[in-house]
Amino acid sequence: MFEKRLNTLVENGVLKNKEGWLQLLADLLNYKFECPDIEILKGYKQTGKSFFLQYAEKIMRNKKDDLNEENALEKITEYLNNTLPLELIASGFLSNCVLTEYLDNPVKEFIEENKKIETYIFRYTDDITIISSDGEFIKKIIGKVRERLNNIGLSLSKEKTIPANENEIDEMIKEKIQKNSSLKQIVIEKGLLDAIKNGYEKSKLEPIRITKNDTIPGSTAMIEKLSQVSEIQLQSMDNEELEQFIYEMLHLLDVQFDSKEIKDETKVAFASWRIKSGLKEALNRALNIEKYSPEASLQRAFKRYPYKISLYEIYTIFLIDCIIKGNNRKSYFEVLENFLRSLKLSIQENWDSFYGPFIRTKVLFAFSNEWRRIPTSYRERLRDIISDAVQAWYDSQEILWFEKYAIYWCFSICQIRTNPKLNIDCYKVFRAIYSSLEYLQKIYLLTVDEQIH
């Protein structure tokens, strides 16, 4: 299947050859889950359950009934070793390898057999949109899509598919009632089921109809407008246009859209890199961006979306840019110190802060990536700020393995002389992790030794 897809890409001149790509795909699909810090994670408990068990229940939400503290590691390892990692960069390619052959082509053939009905189907990774002049034909196409997916062990989401069929709506209603009922067994009379069904998302039974008089949802209009702005176009904007663009992007973080229009996660992901590019361009032009309060907007976003780690990276880079550009309206060194101090985020103190290790890792890598463009005159103070922050973060809590990796990486790149003296021997049974940490530790010690001599 993968080889066939790669052959097609070679024939069309997209790839020169397929051999290296086959090996890359084999490596990606050989993903193995390991949890070297399992004992640390089991030690953090709330309401009688460890952090790790609650994490496993979230990941395996459809198969969590028999999970417990003893079998959680075994169960989640088996599950994740047969699942592609979240946000894997190759996910789109892998989905196309499978779905182009087993879904797209057969469904397009089915549509072409009914040429009298003007119909179009679009798929982006796992999102499918069907546009047709005939609502009943859309239902037939969905049936064909469902059939093709079932043949390869996949299924359409009951909650997201519009229009759904009546059987699916019946199942969804029963599941919702049982989920919210204290009774393990519940019998639903047909009359009651029909009454609930009539009041339950009637739009799910029919395709969404759009006419030339319909207005585009506010979120769609904004996304459509702003998505067409590239980095080159940012540079060609005049100052007024650029400031308006920054304002709209920051406003996008705060505005609340109907969940049926756009997910919060999608909105934040869309705005993130555009805010980063817009602020950088404004600082290059020495514009006064404080009037738009980017700090306040990003800080509000942290609280609402703590799992959107990229926001912390953007804020770190923004503060670094302010320092580099010599923005003297306030001491951005102090702002940076306060920001880093706030990232202590101990799981033991605040259960909502379990994103702390991932946030700290992202911030340390941000410093590493930006270090080359930081003027020498600012580096010594930044070294002290980073070193003090790391000591404050871990004075009373354990350090997870990927945080140790980020610390050694950052301290090596930034040439920070304060040796963190991290224990890596506990990872010897995890060969890949230990060898990476040992290698980085040696590089750091060599870097410090060169500075001394």
Side-chain angles (χ1 to χ4, degrees):
M1 178 171 56
F2 294 135
E3 190 165 6
K4 186 174 182 179
R5 178 68 175 171
L6 290 169
N7 283 336
T8 302
L9 294 174
V10 171
E11 289 169 6
N12 288 279
V14 178
L15 300 177
K16 290 184 179 180
N17 58 69
K18 65 181 181 182
E19 281 68 28
W21 289 95
L22 283 171
Q23 183 58 51
L24 176 61
L25 284 172
D27 292 340
L28 286 170
L29 295 173
N30 196 33
Y31 166 82
K32 296 295 180 186
F33 172 75
E34 290 185 332
C35 188
D37 296 309
I38 180 66
E39 295 306 319
I40 296 175
L41 298 177
K42 281 186 174 181
Y44 298 145
K45 291 182 179 290
Q46 186 191 51
T47 62
K49 289 184 180 180
S50 71
F51 163 71
F52 184 77
L53 178 57
Q54 295 195 43
Y55 167 77
E57 287 178 340
K58 286 182 180 179
I59 295 295
M60 301 179 65
R61 55 187 178 274
N62 297 325
K63 302 180 180 180
K64 68 177 185 179
D65 291 342
D66 61 342
L67 279 176
N68 54 55
E69 297 287 359
E70 286 68 39
N71 68 14
L73 179 60
E74 178 186 351
K75 294 280 186 181
I76 199 171
T77 299
E78 180 184 0
Y79 177 76
L80 291 178
N81 282 349
N82 291 287
T83 307
L84 288 177
L86 183 66
E87 296 183 358
L88 180 68
I89 194 169
S91 294
F93 176 76
L94 294 173
S95 66
N96 285 337
C97 285
V98 176
L99 297 180
T100 299
E101 177 73 17
Y102 292 100
L103 177 66
D104 298 349
N105 294 340
V107 172
K108 284 179 180 177
E109 288 177 8
F110 176 73
I111 291 173
E112 287 173 3
E113 292 171 0
N114 297 269
K115 291 182 178 179
K116 293 181 180 180
I117 304 173
E118 187 176 12
T119 304
Y120 305 91
I121 184 167
F122 307 93
R123 179 182 61 79
Y124 179 75
T125 309
D126 61 346
D127 290 324
I128 302 169
T129 300
I130 305 167
I131 301 174
S132 177
S133 58
D134 187 323
E136 290 303 312
F137 189 52
I138 287 179
K139 295 179 183 179
K140 291 181 180 179
I141 296 173
I142 291 174
K144 180 63 68 172
V145 169
R146 185 178 287 109
E147 174 191 323
R148 298 299 305 183
L149 290 176
N150 289 342
N151 288 343
I152 54 174
L154 300 175
S155 61
L156 287 174
S157 166
K158 295 176 187 176
E159 294 286 347
K160 297 179 182 178
T161 302
I162 299 175
N165 61 41
E166 292 200 27
N167 290 334
E168 287 180 333
I169 291 179
D170 288 348
E171 289 176 15
M172 283 189 283
I173 293 170
K174 289 176 181 178
E175 287 172 5
K176 286 180 181 292
I177 292 174
Q178 289 172 341
K179 185 176 181 181
N180 295 299
S181 172
S182 58
L183 299 175
K184 290 186 177 180
Q185 297 291 331
I186 185 167
V187 178
I188 305 173
E189 294 182 5
K190 188 177 185 304
L192 175 60
L193 188 60
D194 290 341
I196 297 173
K197 185 190 300 182
N198 289 335
Y200 178 75
E201 294 190 24
K202 292 182 180 179
S203 61
K204 273 191 168 291
L205 288 168
E206 295 296 330
I208 298 171
R209 297 184 181 275
I210 300 175
T211 70
K212 62 182 181 180
N213 297 320
D214 289 325
T215 57
I216 298 175
S219 60
T220 305
M222 180 180 282
I223 295 291
E224 176 68 20
K225 172 188 172 184
L226 298 175
S227 65
Q228 299 177 29
V229 178
S230 66
E231 293 209 26
I232 294 175
Q233 288 172 312
L234 275 178
Q235 295 167 10
S236 65
M237 288 179 178
D238 62 33
N239 289 351
E240 186 177 340
E241 290 172 332
L242 179 60
E243 289 184 341
Q244 181 62 25
F245 175 80
I246 293 170
Y247 170 77
E248 289 179 330
M249 283 292 100
L250 291 169
H251 175 65
L252 189 58
L253 289 179
D254 289 328
V255 70
Q256 292 286 319
F257 291 123
D258 187 325
S259 60
K260 293 180 181 178
E261 290 183 28
I262 183 171
K263 291 181 180 178
D264 274 348
E265 292 86 347
T266 304
K267 177 189 70 174
V268 174
F270 175 85
S272 294
W273 78 264
R274 290 168 176 82
I275 292 172
K276 174 182 173 182
S277 302
L279 292 174
K280 186 180 291 289
E281 180 63 24
L283 287 165
N284 286 338
R285 300 185 193 185
L287 299 179
N288 176 20
I289 59 173
E290 289 183 2
K291 59 186 175 183
Y292 295 121
S293 304
E295 291 174 57
S297 293
L298 288 168
Q299 287 170 359
R300 284 195 299 272
F302 297 159
K303 294 178 180 178
R304 288 175 59 190
Y305 315 110
Y307 47 85
K308 282 298 177 183
I309 313 300
S310 59
L311 290 172
Y312 294 85
E313 178 188 29
I314 289 169
Y315 188 54
T316 304
I317 294 171
F318 165 68
L319 295 179
I320 291 172
D321 282 332
C322 287
I323 291 170
I324 291 174
K325 298 302 175 184
N327 191 333
N328 293 320
R329 282 182 286 276
K330 63 167 74 176
S331 173
Y332 278 97
F333 281 111
E334 292 180 12
V335 176
L336 179 61
E337 283 181 291
N338 292 333
F339 167 61
L340 294 181
R341 198 176 297 123
S342 72
L343 300 183
K344 186 169 183 178
L345 299 171
S346 171
I347 297 174
Q348 289 170 309
E349 295 172 6
N350 184 354
W351 190 254
D352 293 332
S353 300
F354 68 84
Y355 297 104
F358 307 100
I359 293 168
R360 292 189 289 266
T361 298
K362 194 73 170 179
V363 167
L364 289 172
F365 280 130
F367 279 114
S368 304
N369 296 335
E370 301 296 317
W371 194 255
R372 292 179 65 181
R373 65 186 185 86
I374 296 175
T376 306
S377 57
Y378 296 137
R379 290 187 176 184
E380 198 56 43
R381 185 166 180 186
L382 284 173
R383 287 188 184 106
D384 290 340
I385 290 173
I386 297 169
S387 178
D388 290 346
V390 169
Q391 290 184 56
W393 291 344
Y394 304 113
D395 63 353
S396 60
Q397 63 179 318
E398 299 280 357
I399 312 178
L400 303 183
W401 78 266
F402 52 87
E403 294 182 271
K404 294 179 181 180
Y405 187 99
I407 291 169
Y408 274 129
W409 183 277
C410 181
F411 276 38
S412 298
I413 297 294
C414 302
Q415 297 181 315
I416 296 173
R417 289 181 290 276
T418 306
N419 189 342
K421 297 180 180 179
L422 303 177
N423 174 26
I424 64 171
D425 290 340
C426 54
Y427 301 115
K428 282 187 175 180
V429 294
F430 302 95
R431 291 176 56 189
I433 291 174
Y434 178 73
S435 62
S436 298
L437 286 170
E438 184 185 36
Y439 184 69
L440 267 181
Q441 187 183 60
K442 288 178 179 177
I443 290 175
Y444 169 72
L445 293 174
L446 284 172
T447 303
V448 172
D449 187 57
E450 287 177 4
Q451 293 178 64
I452 294 174
H453 294 90

